[in-house]
Amino acid sequence: MRLLLSSCIEFLQERALHVILWNNRPSIDQHFGKPKEMERAMPSIEIQVLEGVFSAEEKGKIIQNVTKAFGEVAGQTIQNGTSVRLLEVSSGSWGYAGNILTTQDALEMRARD
């Protein structure tokens, strides 16, 4: 199971996505109430991408697929309480190994597929 989640993270990282997995963080449910089966704090997954690289539809698919992949490892109950946030970072505000990355760089990476 751990291999599936690792593969999912590698897949996202290869596509210019940055993934942070956090457990036991406050969720939006604390403000709106939550079902009884989600009494415990659920995992929160944060994905950072450069702005302008993914359409709204693609971002929705990323969120859905990451949630599903996490649920395949963690189980349906935890999947139902998993929070996924996709955050866009301004072009030129991201560095990797000392190199500044831009939206154009990420679009060029995507074009290689």
Side-chain angles (χ1 to χ4, degrees), residues 14-86:
E14 288 170 3
R15 282 153 182 80
L17 300 171
H18 179 68
V19 180
I20 300 171
L21 300 177
W22 289 335
N23 281 319
N24 300 321
R25 298 213 48 220
S27 69
I28 196 165
D29 293 325
Q30 75 183 19
H31 301 288
F32 299 106
K34 53 190 163 189
K36 221 172 198 171
E37 67 269 11
M38 295 190 308
E39 292 281 324
R40 295 187 217 158
M42 292 288 126
S44 176
I45 301 170
E46 186 174 287
I47 302 169
Q48 298 175 10
V49 299
L50 283 165
E51 67 182 352
V53 177
F54 298 96
S55 69
E57 182 180 335
E58 289 171 324
K59 288 185 268 187
K61 285 182 179 181
I62 290 168
I63 291 168
Q64 291 170 345
N65 290 339
V66 167
T67 302
K68 182 178 177 185
F70 193 81
E72 288 174 4
V73 174
Q76 187 66 42
T77 300
I78 291 178
Q79 177 180 324
N80 290 342
T82 298
S83 171
V84 177
R85 285 182 288 300
L86 202 142

Side-chain angles (χ1 to χ4, degrees), residues 16 48-54 88-92 94 101-103 106:
Q48 298 175 10
V49 299
L50 283 165
E51 67 182 352
V53 177
F54 298 96
E88 291 186 296
V89 177
S90 299
S91 182
W94 192 320
L101 298 176
T102 65
T103 297

